[in-house]
Amino acid sequence: MSEQIKVIRGMHDILPSDMPAWQQLEDHWRELVESHGYRQIRTPVVERTALFKRSVGEATDIVEKEMYSFEDRGGENLSLRPEGTAGVVRAGIEHGMLVNQQQRLWYTGPMFRYERPQRGRYRQFHQMGAECFGMPGADIEAELIGLAARYWKRLGLSGIELQINTLGSAELRRDYRDRLTAYLRDHFEDLDEDSQRRLETNPLRILDSKNPGMQALIEAAPKLLDHLDDESAEHFEQLKSLLDAMGQPYVVNPRLVRGLDYYCHTVFEWVTDSLGAQGTVCAGGRYDGLVEQLGGKPTPAAGFAMGIERLVSMLRDQDRVKPATDCDVYLLMVGEAAQRSGRALAEQLRDVMPRLRLIVHAGGGSFKSQMKKADKSGARIALILGEDEAAAGQVSLKYLREDRPQQSLLQTELPERLAEAL
Ligand code: ATP
Ligand code: MG
């Protein structure tokens, strides 16, 4: 036997038994965003590395140490996408979808980050997200938040808290950045190694540090919220009053930041304490500077992304996965003539009942072994075709999960009888 090749660390097979949860998430999401006027976009999994350097940012964990980057055979520097926004913005610019227009878009797909694998943190994971362009106000931010809230409700998930913050206008950020850098420089010795390095490149991100040893220092740092200019304060007030009007509770978390210069005004996260350390299931905010930074015209933008694996865990923990059966009817055929007429019968059924989930037995075997497979398939009904029945144009219908007598009927009656029974 050859040596077995195993899956890559931090990457997962999503098995048929996992599908009920995944499909529940995907189906509800699609139905929800489409009911809000969002349209799907799909961008390549591989992009130029420069795209992520410029959008996600050089001084971020993602670009510094988490990207799967490589040179292709033609010498291009490429990366597997670590997140979805960069590709959506690139495509939006490239296809002229952003200038003087409003767009509501959604996406889903695999993302790749070379992180230390642990519960809720993988190297290939999946996100679903929404991005809106051309809308500068708090109204669209409230819409995005409402969308996520409604999603939790449809899924039946509880215990997810909304945290919001404002980063203010771009000028305000620059001002604040200087003040924060000065404060952190005064405490340089108390900063951990990562933060010392970030001090000059990305000081805001230091506020986001999860190092317990730095918490006191961060707590005492100057807060942007205390120095808001009129425009920023007004924007934030508007968001809060819209959330109030929608009956959406929130917590203002002044330490919630996105470290990059193109973020402004609103940032938000949905957080649960039921998943341990990896408690953020959804993160988003306004990123008005990004389109311009990627070579487009200045365009207001806001969006969010959710981690599907973390939501799958929550669905399971909260017992919200609806059990799914894969099969309604299992057709057994005993004998060679029955094999042939069974195949023909199945085709006729599929013609008139396109949604019928019918497994036609394959692989031969006795009646008994076929019955075992029928039972294992989860089907509610077994159709049994023997030589005599095949010759007479009949079929037996047996209920596998209910105490009801087996019936013999004409094959021509089947569609009607199945429609009644299922
Ligand atoms: P974290 O602080 O947990 O590292 P992040 O700020 O890197 O999160 P984002 O880039 O905002 O995460 O991604 C949005 C969402 O995608 C996260 O809130 C999380 O639910 C999910 N996510 C991010 N990284 C991973 C990962 N490695 N494995 C699984 N899910 C992830
Ligand atoms: Mg991360």
Side-chain angles (χ1 to χ4, degrees):
M1 256 207 300
S2 314
E3 196 196 333
Q4 192 186 347
I5 299 173
K6 295 255 176 77
V7 73
I8 295 171
R9 187 167 127 85
M11 304 201 176
H12 290 275
D13 300 310
I14 303 160
L15 300 174
S17 55
D18 299 319
M19 279 306 152
W22 280 76
Q23 287 178 349
Q24 216 165 301
L25 284 164
E26 289 164 356
D27 293 350
H28 279 300
W29 170 248
R30 182 167 175 172
E31 199 180 276
L32 185 69
V33 282
E34 289 184 348
S35 76
H36 285 63
Y38 289 65
R39 299 181 305 152
Q40 188 179 18
I41 181 165
R42 299 187 194 189
T43 63
V45 169
V46 182
E47 298 268 5
R48 284 177 210 287
T49 301
L51 175 68
F52 303 115
K53 286 197 171 163
R54 246 208 268 171
S55 60
V56 178
E58 303 251 15
T60 56
D61 279 349
I62 292 181
V63 170
E64 275 180 353
K65 48 193 185 196
E66 295 175 0
M67 281 221 289
Y68 280 88
S69 299
F70 58 96
E71 215 176 82
D72 75 0
R73 289 172 198 276
E76 301 263 22
N77 288 314
L78 306 180
S79 296
L80 300 186
R81 64 178 179 201
E83 54 94 54
T85 306
V88 171
V89 172
R90 179 201 50 69
I93 297 170
E94 210 165 320
H95 300 284
M97 294 166 64
L98 306 184
V99 181
N100 292 328
Q101 299 171 61
Q102 293 190 342
Q103 294 283 356
R104 288 178 170 84
L105 304 175
W106 70 273
Y107 64 85
T108 183
M111 309 294 162
F112 303 84
R113 297 183 193 177
Y114 196 81
E115 304 203 61
R116 194 168 67 77
Q118 51 198 292
R119 186 177 186 215
R121 195 173 288 290
Y122 311 106
R123 290 182 175 173
Q124 174 174 335
F125 62 100
H126 298 75
Q127 289 184 336
M128 293 184 293
E131 314 284 3
C132 295
F133 300 94
M135 292 161 267
D139 49 3
I140 193 66
E141 299 159 7
E143 175 175 306
L144 286 163
I145 288 171
L147 189 67
R150 191 166 290 280
Y151 190 45
W152 316 141
K153 202 155 112 192
R154 292 235 176 133
L155 292 168
L157 291 178
S158 57
I160 311 179
E161 180 189 85
L162 172 63
Q163 301 188 354
I164 60 172
N165 190 22
T166 178
L167 303 174
S169 62
E171 308 85 77
L172 185 78
R173 299 265 319 271
R174 272 193 289 280
D175 222 44
Y176 173 69
R177 193 180 144 118
D178 293 345
R179 203 156 348 120
L180 180 67
T181 310
Y183 165 84
L184 293 170
R185 212 177 275 131
D186 285 343
H187 297 83
F188 190 79
E189 295 311 316
D190 303 325
L191 298 179
D192 61 16
E193 205 181 305
D194 261 353
S195 304
Q196 290 188 343
R197 195 163 36 82
R198 290 221 169 117
L199 183 55
E200 303 306 328
T201 52
N202 194 355
L204 257 78
R205 196 73 202 207
I206 296 176
L207 297 179
D208 201 25
S209 164
K210 303 200 166 76
N211 181 348
M214 301 241 315
Q215 298 313 307
L217 186 96
I218 290 169
E219 210 52 61
K223 292 190 178 53
L224 199 142
L225 266 183
D226 298 336
H227 302 90
L228 289 186
D229 57 74
D230 290 349
E231 181 217 331
S232 305
E234 168 67 18
H235 189 112
F236 199 42
E237 282 313 312
Q238 241 165 39
L239 174 69
K240 290 193 283 188
S241 80
L242 287 170
L243 293 177
D244 289 338
M246 290 156 65
Q248 174 59 55
Y250 55 84
V251 172
V252 177
N253 175 0
R255 292 193 29 207
L256 195 65
V257 291
R258 312 244 112 194
L260 296 163
D261 285 338
Y262 57 80
Y263 283 110
C264 60
H265 295 296
T266 305
V267 286
F268 60 87
E269 284 191 4
W270 292 88
V271 185
T272 172
D273 52 19
S274 71
L275 292 175
Q278 271 58 251
T280 303
V281 292
C282 173
R286 174 163 290 284
Y287 52 95
D288 288 350
L290 181 59
V291 178
E292 194 177 8
Q293 196 159 315
L294 290 179
K297 297 236 165 70
T299 306
F304 67 74
M306 302 180 288
I308 304 188
E309 281 80 357
R310 293 183 192 179
L311 293 173
V312 167
S313 291
M314 285 196 81
L315 275 186
R316 292 204 176 119
D317 293 350
Q318 297 188 12
D319 223 2
R320 291 294 176 178
V321 183
K322 293 199 189 66
T325 54
D326 303 318
C327 176
D328 303 316
V329 177
Y330 194 102
L331 173 61
L332 297 68
M333 296 148 298
V334 190
E336 250 190 58
Q339 291 268 354
R340 273 192 303 278
S341 65
R343 284 285 151 190
L345 175 63
E347 294 306 325
Q348 286 159 18
L349 281 176
R350 293 192 200 284
D351 282 343
V352 295
M353 304 182 78
R355 301 180 68 93
L356 179 71
R357 297 177 307 168
L358 167 68
I359 295 181
V360 182
H361 179 79
S366 65
F367 173 75
K368 202 170 150 203
S369 79
Q370 293 192 34
M371 265 319 268
K372 268 196 191 144
K373 295 201 169 68
D375 192 45
K376 213 174 154 209
S377 74
R380 268 187 63 201
I381 290 174
L383 295 176
I384 305 161
L385 204 55
E387 300 280 339
D388 296 346
E389 284 148 319
Q394 291 194 317
V395 63
S396 294
L397 188 155
K398 182 176 168 61
Y399 290 90
L400 296 173
R401 321 281 153 197
E402 290 137 279
D403 193 14
R404 289 167 72 172
Q406 183 166 326
Q407 303 162 354
S408 185
L409 50 140
L410 285 172
Q411 289 178 13
T412 49
E413 294 176 282
L414 251 187
E416 203 177 321
R417 297 294 288 276
L418 287 177
E420 279 165 22
L422 293 168

